[in-house]
PDB file of all heavy atoms in Angstrom:
ATOM      1  N   SER K   1       0.826  -1.194   0.004  1.00  0.00           N
ATOM      2  CA  SER K   1      -0.007  -0.005   0.003  1.00  0.00           C
ATOM      3  C   SER K   1       0.877   1.251   0.005  1.00  0.00           C
ATOM      4  O   SER K   1       2.085   1.190   0.138  1.00  0.00           O
ATOM      5  CB  SER K   1      -0.914  -0.002   1.241  1.00  0.00           C
ATOM      6  OG  SER K   1      -0.165   0.031   2.423  1.00  0.00           O
ATOM      7  N   VAL K   2       0.210   2.396  -0.101  1.00  0.00           N
ATOM      8  CA  VAL K   2       0.841   3.695  -0.029  1.00  0.00           C
ATOM      9  C   VAL K   2       0.408   4.333   1.290  1.00  0.00           C
ATOM     10  O   VAL K   2      -0.761   4.465   1.573  1.00  0.00           O
ATOM     11  CB  VAL K   2       0.434   4.633  -1.187  1.00  0.00           C
ATOM     12  CG1 VAL K   2       1.116   5.976  -1.074  1.00  0.00           C
ATOM     13  CG2 VAL K   2       0.761   3.967  -2.535  1.00  0.00           C
ATOM     14  N   PHE K   3       1.394   4.686   2.091  1.00  0.00           N
ATOM     15  CA  PHE K   3       1.095   5.235   3.438  1.00  0.00           C
ATOM     16  C   PHE K   3       0.200   6.443   3.339  1.00  0.00           C
ATOM     17  O   PHE K   3       0.412   7.336   2.519  1.00  0.00           O
ATOM     18  CB  PHE K   3       2.400   5.598   4.147  1.00  0.00           C
ATOM     19  CG  PHE K   3       2.189   6.032   5.567  1.00  0.00           C
ATOM     20  CD1 PHE K   3       2.030   5.095   6.575  1.00  0.00           C
ATOM     21  CD2 PHE K   3       2.091   7.362   5.887  1.00  0.00           C
ATOM     22  CE1 PHE K   3       1.818   5.474   7.885  1.00  0.00           C
ATOM     23  CE2 PHE K   3       1.890   7.768   7.214  1.00  0.00           C
ATOM     24  CZ  PHE K   3       1.738   6.828   8.214  1.00  0.00           C
ATOM     25  N   GLY K   4      -0.815   6.469   4.198  1.00  0.00           N
ATOM     26  CA  GLY K   4      -1.712   7.632   4.263  1.00  0.00           C
ATOM     27  C   GLY K   4      -2.816   7.669   3.240  1.00  0.00           C
ATOM     28  O   GLY K   4      -3.526   8.632   3.135  1.00  0.00           O
ATOM     29  N   THR K   5      -2.918   6.562   2.439  1.00  0.00           N
ATOM     30  CA  THR K   5      -3.966   6.481   1.423  1.00  0.00           C
ATOM     31  C   THR K   5      -4.657   5.119   1.537  1.00  0.00           C
ATOM     32  O   THR K   5      -4.091   4.187   2.126  1.00  0.00           O
ATOM     33  CB  THR K   5      -3.401   6.632   0.000  1.00  0.00           C
ATOM     34  OG1 THR K   5      -2.787   5.395  -0.399  1.00  0.00           O
ATOM     35  CG2 THR K   5      -2.381   7.745  -0.078  1.00  0.00           C
ATOM     36  N   PRO K   6      -5.818   4.972   0.902  1.00  0.00           N
ATOM     37  CA  PRO K   6      -6.471   3.645   0.876  1.00  0.00           C
ATOM     38  C   PRO K   6      -5.977   2.781  -0.275  1.00  0.00           C
ATOM     39  O   PRO K   6      -6.496   1.680  -0.505  1.00  0.00           O
ATOM     40  CB  PRO K   6      -7.957   3.979   0.661  1.00  0.00           C
ATOM     41  CG  PRO K   6      -7.922   5.270  -0.113  1.00  0.00           C
ATOM     42  CD  PRO K   6      -6.710   6.027   0.391  1.00  0.00           C
ATOM     43  N   LEU K   7      -4.972   3.233  -1.022  1.00  0.00           N
ATOM     44  CA  LEU K   7      -4.462   2.508  -2.172  1.00  0.00           C
ATOM     45  C   LEU K   7      -3.691   1.270  -1.768  1.00  0.00           C
ATOM     46  O   LEU K   7      -2.800   1.368  -0.865  1.00  0.00           O
ATOM     47  CB  LEU K   7      -3.583   3.426  -3.054  1.00  0.00           C
ATOM     48  CG  LEU K   7      -4.206   4.703  -3.560  1.00  0.00           C
ATOM     49  CD1 LEU K   7      -3.179   5.502  -4.369  1.00  0.00           C
ATOM     50  CD2 LEU K   7      -5.438   4.416  -4.399  1.00  0.00           C
ATOM     51  N   GLY K   8      -3.952   0.145  -2.400  1.00  0.00           N
ATOM     52  CA  GLY K   8      -3.206  -1.045  -2.095  1.00  0.00           C
ATOM     53  C   GLY K   8      -3.997  -2.302  -2.357  1.00  0.00           C
ATOM     54  O   GLY K   8      -5.148  -2.268  -2.791  1.00  0.00           O
ATOM     55  N   PHE K   9      -3.375  -3.443  -2.029  1.00  0.00           N
ATOM     56  CA  PHE K   9      -4.036  -4.732  -2.262  1.00  0.00           C
ATOM     57  C   PHE K   9      -3.600  -5.729  -1.200  1.00  0.00           C
ATOM     58  O   PHE K   9      -2.621  -5.518  -0.480  1.00  0.00           O
ATOM     59  CB  PHE K   9      -3.701  -5.283  -3.659  1.00  0.00           C
ATOM     60  CG  PHE K   9      -2.252  -5.613  -3.859  1.00  0.00           C
ATOM     61  CD1 PHE K   9      -1.696  -6.833  -3.414  1.00  0.00           C
ATOM     62  CD2 PHE K   9      -1.378  -4.704  -4.494  1.00  0.00           C
ATOM     63  CE1 PHE K   9      -0.378  -7.125  -3.578  1.00  0.00           C
ATOM     64  CE2 PHE K   9      -0.036  -5.021  -4.674  1.00  0.00           C
ATOM     65  CZ  PHE K   9       0.477  -6.235  -4.219  1.00  0.00           C
ATOM     66  N   GLY K  10      -4.342  -6.817  -1.118  1.00  0.00           N
ATOM     67  CA  GLY K  10      -3.999  -7.930  -0.249  1.00  0.00           C
ATOM     68  C   GLY K  10      -4.045  -9.224  -1.019  1.00  0.00           C
ATOM     69  O   GLY K  10      -4.983  -9.458  -1.806  1.00  0.00           O
ATOM     70  N   ILE K  11      -3.045 -10.065  -0.846  1.00  0.00           N
ATOM     71  CA  ILE K  11      -3.010 -11.397  -1.424  1.00  0.00           C
ATOM     72  C   ILE K  11      -2.617 -12.358  -0.329  1.00  0.00           C
ATOM     73  O   ILE K  11      -2.099 -11.950   0.712  1.00  0.00           O
ATOM     74  CB  ILE K  11      -2.030 -11.498  -2.617  1.00  0.00           C
ATOM     75  CG1 ILE K  11      -0.623 -11.037  -2.223  1.00  0.00           C
ATOM     76  CG2 ILE K  11      -2.545 -10.677  -3.816  1.00  0.00           C
ATOM     77  CD1 ILE K  11       0.393 -11.088  -3.330  1.00  0.00           C
ATOM     78  N   GLN K  12      -2.833 -13.657  -0.528  1.00  0.00           N
ATOM     79  CA  GLN K  12      -2.520 -14.627   0.510  1.00  0.00           C
ATOM     80  C   GLN K  12      -1.943 -15.895  -0.099  1.00  0.00           C
ATOM     81  O   GLN K  12      -2.312 -16.312  -1.185  1.00  0.00           O
ATOM     82  CB  GLN K  12      -3.805 -14.982   1.297  1.00  0.00           C
ATOM     83  CG  GLN K  12      -3.521 -15.862   2.513  1.00  0.00           C
ATOM     84  CD  GLN K  12      -4.764 -16.103   3.360  1.00  0.00           C
ATOM     85  OE1 GLN K  12      -5.862 -16.255   2.807  1.00  0.00           O
ATOM     86  NE2 GLN K  12      -4.593 -16.157   4.674  1.00  0.00           N
ATOM     87  N   VAL K  13      -0.999 -16.471   0.663  1.00  0.00           N
ATOM     88  CA  VAL K  13      -0.426 -17.771   0.279  1.00  0.00           C
ATOM     89  C   VAL K  13      -1.370 -18.872   0.783  1.00  0.00           C
ATOM     90  O   VAL K  13      -1.658 -18.922   1.984  1.00  0.00           O
ATOM     91  CB  VAL K  13       0.965 -17.971   0.900  1.00  0.00           C
ATOM     92  CG1 VAL K  13       1.542 -19.323   0.491  1.00  0.00           C
ATOM     93  CG2 VAL K  13       1.916 -16.830   0.512  1.00  0.00           C
ATOM     94  N   GLN K  14      -1.843 -19.690  -0.142  1.00  0.00           N
ATOM     95  CA  GLN K  14      -2.719 -20.788   0.250  1.00  0.00           C
ATOM     96  C   GLN K  14      -2.315 -22.052  -0.469  1.00  0.00           C
ATOM     97  O   GLN K  14      -1.704 -22.041  -1.535  1.00  0.00           O
ATOM     98  CB  GLN K  14      -4.200 -20.455  -0.082  1.00  0.00           C
ATOM     99  CG  GLN K  14      -4.804 -19.396   0.788  1.00  0.00           C
ATOM    100  CD  GLN K  14      -6.304 -19.294   0.636  1.00  0.00           C
ATOM    101  OE1 GLN K  14      -6.935 -20.130  -0.048  1.00  0.00           O
ATOM    102  NE2 GLN K  14      -6.913 -18.321   1.271  1.00  0.00           N
ATOM    103  N   SER K  15      -2.676 -23.165   0.146  1.00  0.00           N
ATOM    104  CA  SER K  15      -2.480 -24.497  -0.488  1.00  0.00           C
ATOM    105  C   SER K  15      -3.678 -24.738  -1.425  1.00  0.00           C
ATOM    106  O   SER K  15      -4.837 -24.770  -0.978  1.00  0.00           O
ATOM    107  CB  SER K  15      -2.399 -25.568   0.579  1.00  0.00           C
ATOM    108  OG  SER K  15      -2.229 -26.835  -0.047  1.00  0.00           O
ATOM    109  N   VAL K  16      -3.383 -24.873  -2.696  1.00  0.00           N
ATOM    110  CA  VAL K  16      -4.414 -24.978  -3.733  1.00  0.00           C
ATOM    111  C   VAL K  16      -4.374 -26.378  -4.351  1.00  0.00           C
ATOM    112  O   VAL K  16      -3.310 -26.912  -4.647  1.00  0.00           O
ATOM    113  CB  VAL K  16      -4.214 -23.912  -4.821  1.00  0.00           C
ATOM    114  CG1 VAL K  16      -5.235 -24.089  -5.932  1.00  0.00           C
ATOM    115  CG2 VAL K  16      -4.332 -22.505  -4.214  1.00  0.00           C
ATOM    116  N   LEU K  17      -5.559 -26.971  -4.562  1.00  0.00           N
ATOM    117  CA  LEU K  17      -5.648 -28.283  -5.209  1.00  0.00           C
ATOM    118  C   LEU K  17      -5.419 -28.095  -6.704  1.00  0.00           C
ATOM    119  O   LEU K  17      -6.128 -27.372  -7.376  1.00  0.00           O
ATOM    120  CB  LEU K  17      -7.016 -28.902  -4.973  1.00  0.00           C
ATOM    121  CG  LEU K  17      -7.234 -30.291  -5.565  1.00  0.00           C
ATOM    122  CD1 LEU K  17      -6.288 -31.309  -4.939  1.00  0.00           C
ATOM    123  CD2 LEU K  17      -8.678 -30.735  -5.367  1.00  0.00           C
ATOM    124  N   MET K  18      -4.388 -28.799  -7.233  1.00  0.00           N
ATOM    125  CA  MET K  18      -4.032 -28.671  -8.632  1.00  0.00           C
ATOM    126  C   MET K  18      -4.778 -29.690  -9.472  1.00  0.00           C
ATOM    127  O   MET K  18      -5.460 -30.606  -8.957  1.00  0.00           O
ATOM    128  CB  MET K  18      -2.521 -28.848  -8.798  1.00  0.00           C
ATOM    129  CG  MET K  18      -1.698 -27.973  -7.862  1.00  0.00           C
ATOM    130  SD  MET K  18      -2.111 -26.217  -7.949  1.00  0.00           S
ATOM    131  CE  MET K  18      -1.564 -25.843  -9.619  1.00  0.00           C
ATOM    132  N   ASP K  19      -4.632 -29.593 -10.795  1.00  0.00           N
ATOM    133  CA  ASP K  19      -5.334 -30.497 -11.724  1.00  0.00           C
ATOM    134  C   ASP K  19      -4.939 -31.957 -11.534  1.00  0.00           C
ATOM    135  O   ASP K  19      -5.725 -32.866 -11.807  1.00  0.00           O
ATOM    136  CB  ASP K  19      -5.084 -30.071 -13.157  1.00  0.00           C
ATOM    137  CG  ASP K  19      -5.739 -28.727 -13.494  1.00  0.00           C
ATOM    138  OD1 ASP K  19      -6.697 -28.396 -12.792  1.00  0.00           O
ATOM    139  OD2 ASP K  19      -5.292 -28.080 -14.456  1.00  0.00           O
ATOM    140  N   ASP K  20      -3.680 -32.196 -11.092  1.00  0.00           N
ATOM    141  CA  ASP K  20      -3.238 -33.576 -10.926  1.00  0.00           C
ATOM    142  C   ASP K  20      -3.490 -34.081  -9.506  1.00  0.00           C
ATOM    143  O   ASP K  20      -2.889 -35.046  -9.048  1.00  0.00           O
ATOM    144  CB  ASP K  20      -1.767 -33.716 -11.277  1.00  0.00           C
ATOM    145  CG  ASP K  20      -0.869 -32.820 -10.419  1.00  0.00           C
ATOM    146  OD1 ASP K  20      -1.407 -32.112  -9.548  1.00  0.00           O
ATOM    147  OD2 ASP K  20       0.359 -32.836 -10.602  1.00  0.00           O
ATOM    148  N   SER K  21      -4.392 -33.391  -8.780  1.00  0.00           N
ATOM    149  CA  SER K  21      -4.896 -33.791  -7.458  1.00  0.00           C
ATOM    150  C   SER K  21      -3.873 -33.676  -6.336  1.00  0.00           C
ATOM    151  O   SER K  21      -4.073 -34.228  -5.252  1.00  0.00           O
ATOM    152  CB  SER K  21      -5.394 -35.247  -7.494  1.00  0.00           C
ATOM    153  OG  SER K  21      -6.461 -35.342  -8.403  1.00  0.00           O
ATOM    154  N   HIS K  22      -2.780 -32.940  -6.564  1.00  0.00           N
ATOM    155  CA  HIS K  22      -1.889 -32.652  -5.434  1.00  0.00           C
ATOM    156  C   HIS K  22      -2.053 -31.172  -5.050  1.00  0.00           C
ATOM    157  O   HIS K  22      -2.570 -30.366  -5.810  1.00  0.00           O
ATOM    158  CB  HIS K  22      -0.420 -32.984  -5.787  1.00  0.00           C
ATOM    159  CG  HIS K  22       0.267 -31.908  -6.546  1.00  0.00           C
ATOM    160  ND1 HIS K  22       0.091 -31.698  -7.894  1.00  0.00           N
ATOM    161  CD2 HIS K  22       1.153 -30.938  -6.139  1.00  0.00           C
ATOM    162  CE1 HIS K  22       0.818 -30.682  -8.306  1.00  0.00           C
ATOM    163  NE2 HIS K  22       1.475 -30.206  -7.261  1.00  0.00           N
ATOM    164  N   HIS K  23      -1.609 -30.842  -3.834  1.00  0.00           N
ATOM    165  CA  HIS K  23      -1.726 -29.478  -3.364  1.00  0.00           C
ATOM    166  C   HIS K  23      -0.376 -28.736  -3.537  1.00  0.00           C
ATOM    167  O   HIS K  23       0.693 -29.340  -3.384  1.00  0.00           O
ATOM    168  CB  HIS K  23      -2.105 -29.427  -1.879  1.00  0.00           C
ATOM    169  CG  HIS K  23      -3.582 -29.718  -1.651  1.00  0.00           C
ATOM    170  ND1 HIS K  23      -4.069 -31.005  -1.670  1.00  0.00           N
ATOM    171  CD2 HIS K  23      -4.623 -28.893  -1.423  1.00  0.00           C
ATOM    172  CE1 HIS K  23      -5.396 -30.966  -1.444  1.00  0.00           C
ATOM    173  NE2 HIS K  23      -5.743 -29.716  -1.300  1.00  0.00           N
ATOM    174  N   ALA K  24      -0.446 -27.471  -3.855  1.00  0.00           N
ATOM    175  CA  ALA K  24       0.755 -26.659  -3.988  1.00  0.00           C
ATOM    176  C   ALA K  24       0.440 -25.249  -3.527  1.00  0.00           C
ATOM    177  O   ALA K  24      -0.715 -24.810  -3.586  1.00  0.00           O
ATOM    178  CB  ALA K  24       1.242 -26.652  -5.452  1.00  0.00           C
ATOM    179  N   LYS K  25       1.450 -24.555  -3.052  1.00  0.00           N
ATOM    180  CA  LYS K  25       1.242 -23.159  -2.572  1.00  0.00           C
ATOM    181  C   LYS K  25       1.098 -22.248  -3.755  1.00  0.00           C
ATOM    182  O   LYS K  25       1.911 -22.261  -4.694  1.00  0.00           O
ATOM    183  CB  LYS K  25       2.410 -22.722  -1.699  1.00  0.00           C
ATOM    184  CG  LYS K  25       2.457 -23.365  -0.344  1.00  0.00           C
ATOM    185  CD  LYS K  25       3.663 -22.881   0.452  1.00  0.00           C
ATOM    186  CE  LYS K  25       3.774 -23.578   1.793  1.00  0.00           C
ATOM    187  NZ  LYS K  25       4.994 -23.169   2.524  1.00  0.00           N
ATOM    188  N   ARG K  26       0.075 -21.449  -3.744  1.00  0.00           N
ATOM    189  CA  ARG K  26      -0.165 -20.422  -4.749  1.00  0.00           C
ATOM    190  C   ARG K  26      -0.655 -19.157  -4.053  1.00  0.00           C
ATOM    191  O   ARG K  26      -1.063 -19.195  -2.889  1.00  0.00           O
ATOM    192  CB  ARG K  26      -1.215 -20.896  -5.781  1.00  0.00           C
ATOM    193  CG  ARG K  26      -0.788 -22.113  -6.588  1.00  0.00           C
ATOM    194  CD  ARG K  26       0.324 -21.825  -7.541  1.00  0.00           C
ATOM    195  NE  ARG K  26       0.667 -22.965  -8.379  1.00  0.00           N
ATOM    196  CZ  ARG K  26       1.638 -23.831  -8.110  1.00  0.00           C
ATOM    197  NH1 ARG K  26       2.354 -23.698  -7.020  1.00  0.00           N
ATOM    198  NH2 ARG K  26       1.904 -24.839  -8.934  1.00  0.00           N
TER     199      ARG K  26
END
């Protein structure tokens, strides 16, 4: 973010189920 403003974003590291049925961090 930019200090003193509402500008910015949030993302998160999560374990996601992939097409081959294993989990990976995305």
Side-chain angles (χ1 to χ4, degrees):
S1 62
V2 180
F3 185 82
T5 78
L7 302 178
F9 65 82
I11 55 181
Q12 187 175 37
V13 180
Q14 289 192 6
S15 179
V16 176
L17 182 63
M18 309 306 293
D19 292 338
D20 59 1
S21 299
H22 83 281
H23 284 79
K25 288 180 184 176
R26 297 291 184 264

